[in-house]
Amino acid sequence: MKFSNSYAKLDEVFYERIRPTPVRDPQLFLWNSSLTEQLMIPDELNNDPVALAQVFSGNHILPGSEPIATAYAGHQFGSFVRQLGDGRAHLIGELLDQSGKGWDIQLKGSGRTSFSRGGDGRCSIGPAVREFIMSEALKALGVATTRSLAVVTTGEPVFRETPLPGAVVTRVASSHIRIGTFQYFAARGDLKSLITLCHYAIKRHYPELQTEGQNQYLSFLNKVIEKQIQLVVDWMRIGFIHGVMNTDNTSISGETIDYGPCAMMGIYDPQTVYSSIDTMGRYAFGNQPAIIQWNIARFGECLLPLINSDNNKALDRLRSIISEFPGMFEKEYMKMMGKKLGLKFFKQDDQKLILAVLNRLREKHLDYTVTFDLLTKSLLSETVASQMKNELEEYFELWQKRLSEQDADLHEVQVLMRQYNPVVIPRNHHVEEVIQECQQSGKSTLAEKFLQVLSSPYEELAQTHDYQDPPEDGDKDYKTFCGT
Ligand code: AMP
Ligand code: MG
C-alpha cells in the first residue's frame, strides 16, 4: 500500500493535521473485498479482520499515512456558511492504484477536529451502513459515486436521541474537493490558495486542461458542468434523491458524495422529498436539475477573478455559461429518458411521448422502477404487455408505434432498455430493515445478502425477488435524517 498524501502537501490553510481519536473496541463489520485489488491492499492485511479493524477505525495509523481534516465552506439550504470542514472525518491519505491514480481514503466518524463545532465527531452504525449500502448500490447501478471500503464498529456508544452503537465508515473517493472547498478560499479573498486549489484539482481530475493556460479555468468550469449533468441525469434515471445537495456536498469530480438523508423514489412524483429537515422541498427529486445549476453558479462565482481580471467581463461570461445550462441538461435528460423507453435515437418530437408517459405514472401513482422494468419485459411477453397497456392506455400504444418506426428488433430494444432500467434498487423500506437488523443484532448477515443482490441490479438473481417489492404504504410517512 502506497500513500501519496498530495493534499497534505498543500499549504496548511487547506487542512488541519490531526489524528483520529482511538476507539475502545474496534470490530470489522463490513468489508468491501472488491476494492482491495484496485487499492492494492496486501493479502496479509486483507485476511486479518483484527488488523483491518485497527486501521479502519483510526486506531492504527499505517506507515506513510498523514491524517488531515480538510477545510471547506458551503451553502447549506441556500445560506452560506464560511466554515464547515471535516468535523468528524479524517483523510488518511491517497492510496495509489495500479495505474498510479490516487484515491482518497477517508474515515468518517473518527473523532473531533477543529471543524467539529458542537458535534461529537462520531457516527452511529445506521448512517455508516446506509452509506456503505447506498454507495455500493449506486456504483453497481452505473452511477458515479464515492465508494465504501469498510464499516468498523467502535465498541463505544454515540448519543443521539438514544444511545446507539458507534461506527466508522471508510470512504474511497477520487477526491474530496467540493464546490465548498473553492468557496472557503473565495470567501476569504485568498486568491493565491484559490489558484493553488484550481491547479491541484485540474491536475488530479482533468489533467488534459493543464496546457490551456488562462483558459483552463473556464474549461474547468465546463468540465464540472458536464460531469454534474451526467451525474444528476443518472440520479433521475434510477430515482435517486440525494436529499442534501448543499454546495459542500457537490464534488468537483462529479461523484455522488454524502449519503446522509438520501432515498429512492418509489411512486413517480417529482415533488418527492424524504429528508426531515427539507421542509420546503428544496432538494425534491424533480428539483435536482435546478439545484445543481444553482450550485454550479456558486462554483462559477468563485472562479470569477480567474476567468477575467475585469469583473464585468468575467460575470458576462459566467452568466452566458449558466444560461446555457438548462438546455444542456434537458438534452441529456431527454436522451436518457428516451433510452429508458428503448429509443435508440432521440428525436425532438419524442419529448411529448416521454412527458406523457411520466405524467401518466404520476397520475396513476405508479412505481417508477417497477413500471420501467415491466415496460422492458413487455417487449417479449404478451401477459406483461397487456398489463402495461391497462396501466398506460393510449400512451402504451403510442410508445409501441414509436418503437415500430425504428430500425431495431425487440430483442435489441430490450437489451437497450435493460441497460437503463434496473430490476432492483435499494428501496427505502429494505434499507431501513437492514439497518435496524444491524443495529439490533450487531450482525451483518442481512446487509451482506442485500449487498449481494444490489451488486447486480440489472439481473434477476435467486434472491433478487426478496427486494423488489414497493413499500405497502407508498413510503408516505418515510423520513430520512442528516448527519446522525
Ligand atoms: P453533512 O451534513 O454530513 O454534510 O455535514 C455538514 C457539516 O457538519 C460538516 O462540516 C460535518 O463535518 C459536520 N458534522 C456533521 N455531523 C457531525 C458530528 N457528529 N460531529 C462533528 N461534526 C459534524
Ligand atoms: Mg457533507
Side-chain angles (χ1 to χ4, degrees):
M1 276 164 102
K2 199 160 178 276
F3 283 101
S4 78
N5 305 309
S6 64
Y7 206 77
K9 292 194 175 82
L10 298 175
D11 289 346
E12 301 269 324
V13 286
F14 286 87
Y15 50 79
E16 177 200 11
R17 285 189 192 276
I18 181 162
R19 290 185 160 230
T21 309
V23 300
R24 194 164 59 207
D25 180 22
Q27 302 281 343
L28 190 64
F29 189 77
L30 290 173
W31 175 246
N32 192 346
S33 46
S34 73
L35 278 173
T36 53
E37 199 177 323
Q38 180 191 338
L39 296 173
M40 299 197 291
I41 295 175
D43 282 348
E44 61 269 27
L45 181 56
N46 195 17
N47 297 328
D48 184 347
V50 174
L52 288 173
Q54 288 292 329
V55 171
F56 296 105
S57 59
N59 277 18
H60 175 61
I61 306 297
L62 286 167
S65 151
E66 291 178 33
I68 55 174
T70 69
Y72 54 85
H75 275 93
Q76 298 187 308
F77 290 88
S79 307
F80 187 62
V81 183
R82 263 172 73 86
Q83 180 165 311
L84 291 165
D86 293 328
R88 53 161 167 174
H90 293 77
L91 176 60
I92 62 169
E94 303 112 41
L95 271 184
L96 297 178
D97 68 14
Q98 277 125 335
S99 69
K101 181 174 156 61
W103 295 92
D104 272 15
I105 309 295
Q106 190 204 59
L107 307 182
K108 183 168 172 181
S110 42
R112 287 177 52 81
T113 72
S114 64
F115 304 109
S116 299
R117 295 170 290 169
D120 61 1
R122 292 298 183 191
C123 178
S124 65
I125 188 167
V129 170
R130 169 188 285 272
E131 169 140 354
F132 197 112
I133 291 174
M134 293 305 291
S135 63
E136 288 306 301
L138 258 68
K139 172 69 190 173
L141 283 158
V143 183
T145 177
T146 62
R147 305 214 39 199
S148 297
L149 180 63
V151 172
V152 174
T153 51
T154 60
E156 293 174 5
V158 295
F159 298 93
R160 299 297 180 248
E161 269 150 24
T162 52
L164 295 166
V168 175
V169 57
T170 301
R171 184 194 275 163
V172 178
S174 67
S175 89
H176 280 85
I177 306 170
R178 313 131 192 277
I179 289 182
T181 318
F182 290 83
Q183 291 182 298
Y184 182 86
F185 298 107
R188 284 163 180 72
D190 182 352
L191 198 60
K192 179 172 161 269
S193 300
L194 195 65
I195 294 173
T196 304
L197 182 61
C198 279
H199 290 172
Y200 178 88
I202 289 172
K203 183 167 175 209
R204 195 156 168 192
H205 296 295
Y206 310 109
E208 67 279 14
L209 307 181
Q210 283 174 302
T211 53
E212 290 191 20
Q214 211 47 42
N215 268 338
Q216 64 183 306
Y217 306 109
L218 268 183
S219 302
F220 181 30
L221 175 62
N222 284 323
K223 278 279 181 199
V224 174
I225 290 175
E226 191 187 301
K227 292 277 182 184
Q228 286 293 337
I229 288 179
Q230 183 57 54
L231 179 64
V232 178
V233 164
D234 267 333
W235 291 353
M236 307 303 279
R237 174 171 69 79
I238 61 164
F240 178 77
I241 309 168
H242 183 282
V244 62
M245 290 173 70
N246 294 333
T247 56
D248 55 302
N249 294 334
T250 305
S251 158
I252 289 305
S253 70
E255 286 169 349
T256 310
I257 189 169
D258 209 321
Y259 284 87
C262 69
M264 299 303 295
M265 176 179 68
I267 293 166
Y268 178 77
D269 183 349
Q271 291 180 359
T272 309
V273 177
Y274 293 116
S275 167
S276 56
I277 56 169
D278 192 3
T279 46
M280 306 291 280
R282 178 179 170 93
Y283 300 139
F285 178 73
N287 264 4
Q288 299 186 122
I291 290 295
I292 200 61
Q293 176 184 345
W294 192 88
N295 287 356
I296 281 170
R298 305 289 78 76
F299 177 48
E301 283 165 4
C302 296
L303 302 182
L304 282 173
L306 308 177
I307 292 173
N308 199 309
S309 52
D310 178 334
N311 192 48
N312 286 332
K313 283 191 184 147
L315 255 180
D316 281 348
R317 198 76 190 88
L318 178 61
R319 284 204 187 102
S320 103
I321 290 174
I322 300 296
S323 70
E324 284 168 22
F325 186 98
M328 286 166 67
F329 189 92
E330 191 72 6
K331 193 168 150 229
E332 293 305 313
Y333 175 76
M334 285 297 163
K335 259 203 311 211
M336 175 279 288
M337 286 307 304
K339 296 269 188 350
K340 272 179 90 71
L341 285 169
L343 310 184
K344 278 167 64 179
F345 302 104
F346 173 79
K347 293 191 290 195
Q348 205 48 47
D349 217 30
D350 294 330
Q351 185 155 338
K352 277 191 249 149
L353 174 67
I354 290 167
L355 295 178
V357 168
L358 286 176
N359 203 32
R360 182 75 183 169
L361 261 70
R362 191 178 55 78
E363 280 171 5
K364 288 206 78 179
H365 303 286
L366 298 178
D367 185 88
Y368 189 57
T369 305
V370 168
T371 304
F372 280 95
D373 176 37
L374 289 177
L375 284 175
T376 309
K377 289 174 173 144
S378 78
L379 294 171
L380 299 174
S381 158
E382 290 282 339
T383 329
V384 182
S386 77
Q387 182 191 346
M388 293 319 286
K389 196 171 157 186
N390 265 337
E391 299 281 22
L392 301 185
E393 296 174 344
E394 69 265 36
Y395 305 110
F396 187 77
E397 278 154 29
L398 281 174
W399 172 57
Q400 297 241 301
K401 182 166 171 296
R402 172 65 179 86
L403 286 184
S404 68
E405 289 163 10
Q406 67 178 4
D407 177 22
D409 67 31
L410 292 179
H411 281 101
E412 195 188 329
V413 177
Q414 192 174 57
V415 169
L416 174 67
M417 285 182 71
R418 189 46 86 210
Q419 287 166 12
Y420 285 75
N421 298 312
V423 296
V424 67
I425 54 165
R427 288 192 180 276
N428 306 327
H429 60 290
H430 288 298
V431 173
E432 294 305 330
E433 185 185 68
V434 166
I435 289 174
Q436 282 304 320
E437 165 71 16
C438 291
Q439 223 170 62
Q440 280 158 16
S441 73
K443 296 205 174 73
S444 61
T445 329
L446 260 193
E448 312 267 9
K449 179 184 166 203
F450 194 28
L451 282 161
Q452 177 67 30
V453 167
L454 293 172
S455 69
S456 297
Y458 299 98
E459 252 181 287
E460 287 183 45
L461 310 176
Q463 294 182 318
T464 303
H465 189 69
D466 298 350
Y467 299 100
Q468 286 174 303
D469 55 317
E472 274 168 22
D473 64 353
D475 276 338
K476 68 178 168 42
D477 299 321
Y478 185 57
K479 286 270 168 283
T480 57
F481 303 89
C482 264
T484 43

